[in-house]
Amino acid sequence: MVTAAAKAAAEVDGKPATGNRALPRHVAIIMDGNGRWASARGLPRVAGHRAGVQAVRRTIETAASLGVEWLTLYAFSSENWRRPASEVMDLTGLLRHFLKSEIAELKAKGVRLYFIGDRARFEQDIQIDLGLAERETAHNTRLNLVLALSYGARAEIAAAAKAVAEAAKAGTLDPAAFDEAMFAGYLSTTGIPDPDLIIRTSGEQRLSNFLLWQAAYAELLFLDLMWPDFGPEQFEAALAEYARRERRFGARPG
Ligand code: IPE
Ligand code: IPE
Ligand code: MG
């Protein structure tokens, strides 16, 4: 279902926007600003992360009801392990709780879960729940939800390059026949369409090691609000902005 607002946004003078698929097939979000949201309220950072989880819930619901096919949420970067141990504990604790409390509901809502990133860095019980969540929701088709956890694009690309080199060395891959599509097949996002729209909250204008290969032609949208303040209205406004963009992929403007 597409709401009236999203539909209106996708139209220019009553006609569908041209040169553009009005609704992005894949929206990826860099959920930033939890700490600043909390500080502004005199609260500890963990309160911001908790409020961030609420925003995650809302965003999943909105994506599903607007008809977005793929939603990727950057929840924890490979560099976020460098934060103080207490904050890492708070974040992994929230992840543990989210996996335990949300899976049944996501399953019921028709959401299929995927995880990208270095899951081996998480504690054993979390790794088990990640596998369980993927298996439990594997038949769902309403919304594909990708959580990027302990994810870093450079590590992902380096791991792919290593696997390619090993295959070439073993003689199972012909370097002369190798191309971009084949390389994409070695990334953790194999089978997932490239993001059409990448949103970052918090006002920072950088990718922070997120989907560097896949973002080649994504539309980028940087919002000044903090992640816990992101809701359905902001999501719909982001889709409206996307619908106004003209994507060219390097071809002549038409
Ligand atoms: C985003 O909020 C959550 C994670 C990166 C895990 P931050 O914790 O980065 O909040 P700020 O950017 O310090 O405000
Ligand atoms: C990016 O936010 C990572 C996530 C939102 C998970 P950071 O807060 O880690 O990014 P920097 O440090 O400001 O670049
Ligand atoms: Mg941040």
Side-chain angles (χ1 to χ4, degrees):
M1 187 200 69
V2 177
T3 66
K7 228 180 227 153
E11 290 177 354
V12 178
D13 299 330
K15 286 186 236 109
T18 51
N20 203 333
R21 190 177 181 271
L23 189 69
R25 191 175 170 208
H26 183 176
V27 177
I29 308 182
I30 303 171
M31 309 184 290
D32 194 22
N34 292 350
R36 277 163 281 179
W37 181 91
S39 300
R41 286 160 181 76
L43 298 169
R45 289 179 63 87
V46 66
H49 296 315
R50 281 196 205 106
V53 176
Q54 296 303 326
V56 165
R57 288 200 184 96
R58 291 197 295 271
T59 301
I60 294 169
E61 184 56 47
T62 309
S65 66
L66 291 176
V68 170
E69 265 179 71
W70 290 87
L71 175 68
T72 296
L73 299 176
Y74 198 10
F76 195 90
S77 76
S78 45
E79 289 72 31
N80 288 149
W81 293 109
R82 295 182 191 149
R83 293 193 181 188
S86 60
E87 184 168 356
V88 169
M89 276 237 304
D90 288 339
L91 288 164
T92 53
L94 282 168
L95 171 63
R96 176 179 285 116
H97 188 256
F98 181 85
L99 291 171
K100 295 246 184 277
S101 65
E102 299 299 302
I103 297 314
E105 188 161 345
L106 292 175
K107 194 177 167 186
K109 279 187 177 151
V111 178
R112 179 169 183 178
L113 271 154
Y114 300 77
F115 302 100
I116 56 172
D118 184 6
R119 66 176 80 191
R121 289 190 73 174
F122 291 101
E123 286 169 71
Q124 196 72 31
D125 68 311
I126 290 181
Q127 291 185 44
I128 290 169
D129 284 348
L130 292 174
L132 201 68
E134 284 172 324
R135 285 195 301 279
E136 288 273 306
T137 62
H139 300 295
N140 285 345
T141 56
R142 184 161 168 246
L143 170 71
N144 296 295
L145 173 63
V146 184
L147 292 185
L149 298 169
S150 189
Y151 174 86
R154 285 187 167 180
E156 177 188 36
I157 292 167
K162 188 176 168 188
V164 168
E166 277 165 359
K169 194 175 164 198
T172 55
L173 180 150
D174 173 12
F178 194 69
D179 63 13
E180 290 177 16
M182 286 170 75
F183 188 73
Y186 284 85
L187 297 170
S188 64
T189 50
T190 310
I192 300 175
D194 285 344
D196 299 296
L197 172 65
I198 297 180
I199 301 169
R200 181 175 187 144
T201 56
S202 88
E204 307 299 348
Q205 304 194 3
R206 55 177 171 263
L207 289 175
S208 300
N209 206 10
F210 186 48
L211 301 178
L212 298 182
W213 170 279
Q214 299 85 343
Y217 269 101
E219 294 296 325
L220 306 180
L221 182 59
F222 299 103
L223 301 178
D224 272 330
L225 56 104
M226 300 299 148
W227 173 247
D229 292 325
F230 189 84
E233 235 173 82
Q234 288 74 23
F235 202 157
E236 290 205 27
L239 297 187
E241 166 62 21
Y242 173 84
R244 284 191 289 272
R245 303 265 180 105
E246 187 195 352
R247 301 185 77 188
R248 294 179 183 165
F249 300 98
R252 261 174 51 175

